[in-house]
Amino acid sequence: MAVPIESLLPQLASGAAHTHALGFQYEALDGESVTLRAPYRDELVGDPVAGVLAGGLVTTMLDHVGGLAVWVALGEFRPIATLDLRVDYMRAAEPGRDLLARSRCYRLTHSIGFVRAFAYESDPDDPVAAAQAAYIINSDGERGVGANVSRPGGPT
């Protein structure tokens, strides 16, 4: 029996080595929207003078929460990969504040998930950054690694 994706979200949010190291925490699932939190830590600061979080943290968080939204839309865990990611930075994150990221997969085809995401401190209407992304969904269908390689005695 398949495990409901909702019960896997906390593990998927912080289970990878890099997401664990960055401190990502599953925050909520509200309908089709997924929210992550990155608690503020000094080692995540990109500008020590201003105390502003590193832009790479913001991008990574938006990319990761986007992937979570694709899994929610699929209703299951399947291999996916970021195909395209555009991040527009609107302002610096406020020093000393946790960062939240929220995303929703607004269109799902058999092979691509399309996502919009926002990073913010407390008000999604005042974002630090916005992202538009596309994720490729592994639909294998007997097209695994090497499927396009001709084999002796097989089709060419």
Side-chain angles (χ1 to χ4, degrees):
M1 182 165 84
V3 177
I5 193 65
E6 294 82 4
S7 65
L8 295 175
L9 289 174
Q11 181 181 353
L12 293 171
S14 62
H18 74 286
T19 57
H20 179 76
L22 293 171
F24 290 178
Q25 299 171 356
Y26 170 71
E27 187 77 7
L29 176 62
D30 181 16
E32 299 173 335
S33 297
V34 182
T35 305
L36 286 181
R37 177 181 297 272
Y40 185 90
R41 296 188 340 244
D42 288 338
E43 53 274 17
L44 300 177
V45 169
D47 180 352
V49 174
V52 174
L53 293 170
L57 170 76
V58 178
T59 298
T60 301
M61 194 173 186
L62 289 168
D63 185 22
H64 194 61
V65 77
L68 295 176
V70 172
W71 287 321
V72 166
L74 287 168
E76 65 180 347
F77 176 83
R78 289 177 37 199
I80 63 172
T82 307
L83 183 63
D84 184 48
L85 175 66
R86 175 193 168 104
V87 178
D88 293 313
Y89 288 89
M90 298 170 189
R91 62 178 177 82
E94 295 174 18
R97 307 243 350 242
D98 291 359
L99 190 66
L100 296 162
R102 184 177 192 149
S103 68
R104 181 178 165 273
C105 180
Y106 66 91
R107 174 99 166 101
L108 191 62
T109 71
H110 73 282
S111 60
I112 306 286
F114 298 91
V115 171
R116 290 189 184 104
F118 297 91
Y120 57 96
E121 292 94 354
S122 60
D123 183 0
D125 292 328
D126 184 23
V128 169
Q132 177 81 25
Y135 299 82
I136 193 157
I137 302 162
N138 180 4
S139 59
D140 199 325
E142 299 182 26
R143 296 175 302 179
V145 175
N148 61 338
V149 177
S150 64
R151 292 178 175 77
T156 55

